[in-house]
């Protein structure tokens, strides 16, 4: 949708520019293909009609785009056989012109994979994946340009989408969804541990390590976003409310970890995070995601403390769980809801973390240490990882107090 918005703005701008007809046609064609891919069939047909009406003004290059839009519209309307047939014919035409290993040909292959997958043509999807692999390999060898990483990410995303499609029946089960989230988090923690291990073993080469760590943090952050997107894609197909909730909570935890790596590769220091900046950003994102920006008074009082990743990660996950729980359960029928987060630094690198809300608190018979929810189990596990002491006070709302050190 964002791509469509950008293309619409670009088309408005080029109307007053002195561009060649083919340049104008290229912009309009890109917009038409985006409309068809997103299911905006009427808009795609309008663009197709305009291009066909002005076809004599364009060169042979644009005619290929016109055919592509026509076949994409056919597929988007449900005529998968006709649409896929047309796209294959267009690909043969591109091959006959010696353009089979260009970016345009690869785009056509991606459309074929997308609609064959939607139509349920598994054998065609698999064959097209292999053909796409060969074309991309040749395209990379011939071009050797900076877009190599972008093409690699696109292909890997297609592979993961197909893998998810194969596992769709299994992932419909609530237990498998929860296992997938847990396994994904475990893999990410292993990746992080491996990255830190590499760093500690080569830190004598300071200049090289800084570049390496920045790139690794960036990759981990991108991988986290890919996994979050895949979980979001899968959750849209779930009908089980508890399974959907498990996936959404997994995405929230991934966001808390991803934010740490984003801060690390954006700043000069690639080994420590400014705890104040990180927690303020995290709490604000959680507040916005639950729609409480204007309804709850949120107070974050955290000094600017440089903190290593091993300590920041469990703190961020604890804050994510308890702040999210407050927004989900604490503020129903509360006139002036208040949520506060405070960290006090004592001497000898000892700290106190306080998370407080003025909500209803736990039920009278609730036992935190015996709670079976995944979120509270995770809080207990992370508390032990920090070697922290946890106290809970329900005399006025709900107050969590964590005492820990980083010595």
């Amino acid at each position: 949708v964002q791509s469509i918005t950008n293309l619409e703005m670009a088309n408005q701008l080029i109307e007053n520019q002195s561009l060649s007809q083919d340049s104008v046609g290229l912009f309009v064609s890109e917009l038409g293909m985006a409309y068809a891919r997103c299911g905006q069939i009427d808009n795609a047909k309008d663009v197709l009609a305009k291009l066909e009406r002005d076809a004599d003004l364009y060169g042979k290059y644009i005619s290929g785009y016109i055919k592509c839009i026509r076949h994409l519209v056919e597929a988007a309307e449900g005529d998968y056989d006709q649409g896929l047939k047309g796209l294959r014919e267009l690909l043969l035409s591109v091959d006959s012109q010696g353009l089979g290993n260009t970016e345009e040909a690869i785009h056509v292959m991606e459309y074929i994979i997308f609609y064959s997958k939607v139509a349920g043509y598994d054998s065609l999807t698999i064959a097209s994946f292999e053909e796409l692999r060969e074309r991309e390999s040749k395209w990379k060898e011939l071009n050797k340009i900076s877009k190599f990483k972008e093409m690699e990410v696109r292909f890997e995303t297609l592979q993961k989408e197909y893998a998810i499609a194969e596992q769709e029946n299994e992932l419909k089960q609530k237990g498998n969804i929860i296992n997938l989230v847990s396994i994904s988090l475990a893999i990410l923690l292993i990746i992080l541990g491996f990255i830190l291990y590499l760093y500690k073993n080569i830190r004598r080469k300071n200049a090289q390590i800084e570049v390496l760590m920045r790139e690794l943090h960036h990759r981990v952050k991108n991988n986290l976003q890919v996994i979050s997107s895949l979980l979001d894609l899968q959750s849209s197909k779930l009908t089980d409310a508890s399974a959907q909730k498990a996936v959404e909570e997994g995405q929230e935890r991934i966001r808390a970890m991803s934010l740490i790596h984003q801060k690390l590769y954006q700043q000069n220091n690639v080994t420590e995070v400014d705890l104040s900046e990180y927690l303020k950003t995290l709490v604000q994102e959680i507040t916005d995601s639950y729609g409480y920006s204007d309804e709850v008074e949120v107070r974050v009082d955290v000094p600017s403390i440089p903190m290593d990743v091993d300590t920041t990660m469990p703190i961020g996950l604890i804050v994510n769980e308890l702040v999210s729980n407050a927004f989900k359960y604490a503020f129903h029928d509360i006139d002036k809801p208040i949520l506060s987060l405070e960290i006090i630094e004592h001497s000898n690198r000892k700290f106190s973390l306080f998370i407080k809300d003025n909500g209803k608190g736990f039920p009278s018979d609730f036992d935190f240490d015996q709670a079976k929810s995944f979120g509270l189990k995770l809080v207990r596990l992370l508390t032990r990882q920090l070697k922290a002491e946890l106290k809970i006070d329900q005399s006025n709302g709900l107050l969590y107090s964590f005492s820990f050190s980083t010595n």
Side-chain angles (χ1 to χ4, degrees), residues 355-385:
I355 303 174
K356 185 180 187 328
D357 65 69
N358 64 340
K360 299 178 179 180
F362 292 129
S364 58
D365 59 347
F366 184 82
D367 187 348
F368 179 87
D369 292 329
Q370 300 300 320
K372 297 182 178 180
S373 73
F374 182 82
L376 295 183
K377 286 182 179 178
L378 181 60
V379 170
R380 295 199 298 269
L381 176 64
L382 294 169
T383 301
R384 289 195 294 271
Q385 181 178 334

Side-chain angles (χ1 to χ4, degrees), residues 140-154:
K140 291 173 187 176
E141 292 174 2
L142 292 173
N143 289 278
K144 294 186 182 295
I145 59 175
S146 61
K147 290 186 179 180
F148 174 84
K149 292 182 181 179
E150 179 182 341
M151 294 295 296
E152 184 180 38
V153 170
R154 186 187 302 130

Side-chain angles (χ1 to χ4, degrees), residues 327-373:
F327 286 134
K328 286 189 285 189
Y329 307 116
F331 297 131
H332 298 294
D333 301 324
I334 302 298
D335 292 334
K336 295 181 179 180
I338 300 174
L339 174 70
S340 64
L341 186 151
E342 181 182 7
I343 289 184
I344 298 176
E345 182 177 7
H346 308 290
S347 60
N348 299 324
R349 296 291 289 178
K350 294 183 179 180
F351 303 88
S352 296
L353 165 63
F354 303 98
I355 303 174
K356 185 180 187 328
D357 65 69
N358 64 340
K360 299 178 179 180
F362 292 129
S364 58
D365 59 347
F366 184 82
D367 187 348
F368 179 87
D369 292 329
Q370 300 300 320
K372 297 182 178 180
S373 73

Side-chain angles (χ1 to χ4, degrees), residues 274-309:
D274 186 320
L275 197 59
S276 175
E277 181 181 350
Y278 167 66
L279 291 179
K280 287 178 180 178
T281 303
L282 177 61
V283 171
Q284 184 61 54
E285 289 187 1
I286 298 173
T287 303
D288 293 340
S289 69
Y290 282 94
Y292 279 112
S293 297
D294 299 324
E295 300 177 17
V296 178
E297 181 181 349
V298 179
R299 304 168 181 170
V300 179
D301 185 8
V302 179
S304 182
I305 305 169
M307 193 71 71
D308 63 85
V309 178

Side-chain angles (χ1 to χ4, degrees), residues 223-233 251 254-255:
N223 287 336
L224 287 165
Q225 289 181 331
V226 168
I227 290 178
S228 180
S229 298
L230 293 176
L231 290 174
D232 185 59
L233 176 65
Q251 288 179 287
I254 289 173
R255 175 187 59 198

